[in-house]
Amino acid sequence: IVTQTVGNIGAAIHSLATDEVLKNIYTDHALERHEVAAFTSLIAIAEAAGDAKNVSTFEQFRQTHERAGQKILDQVRPVTMRYIQIEAQGGAGSGKN
């Protein structure tokens, strides 16, 4: 998770020339939300099957993805603001940043 988050932030910093970085951060957040939903389902399935042993494991994974999603979400505004700043200066390829 840490490596993925650092990689995502690094990609955001290095590719602010287009709105691609914004789309990527939205996708990263959506993927984490997808994982949260999937583990929520697995928890419900395990509970229905009486498999208490795996419920706590699934819950740990769900919480991990919840935290990762929040960290990504926390970066949306700063990355967007930086994108606006770079675009206002003529974009990353203009030599003005």
Side-chain angles (χ1 to χ4, degrees), residues 68-81:
Q70 186 60 53
K71 287 180 182 182
I72 293 168
L73 184 59
D74 290 346
Q75 292 304 309
V76 170
R77 184 173 177 81
V79 169
T80 301
M81 297 309 293

Side-chain angles (χ1 to χ4, degrees), residues 3-95:
T3 304
Q4 179 185 2
T5 302
V6 170
N8 291 337
I9 292 170
I13 291 169
H14 290 104
S15 64
L16 284 171
T18 69
D19 69 345
E20 192 68 25
V21 68
L22 298 176
K23 293 174 186 173
N24 288 342
I25 204 165
Y26 306 154
T27 300
D28 291 344
H29 184 257
L31 177 61
E32 292 303 332
R33 298 307 304 162
H34 170 84
E35 293 293 330
V36 168
F39 280 108
T40 300
S41 287
L42 286 172
I43 291 165
I45 292 166
E47 288 172 343
D51 184 9
K53 181 180 96 179
N54 285 313
V55 169
S56 63
T57 301
F58 294 149
E59 181 59 31
Q60 288 175 342
F61 284 123
R62 190 196 65 73
Q63 289 175 8
T64 297
H65 287 284
E66 191 79 53
R67 287 190 301 273
Q70 186 60 53
K71 287 180 182 182
I72 293 168
L73 184 59
D74 290 346
Q75 292 304 309
V76 170
R77 184 173 177 81
V79 169
T80 301
M81 297 309 293
R82 180 69 177 135
Y83 169 79
I84 292 168
Q85 180 184 37
I86 288 172
E87 286 300 308
Q89 295 172 350
S94 70

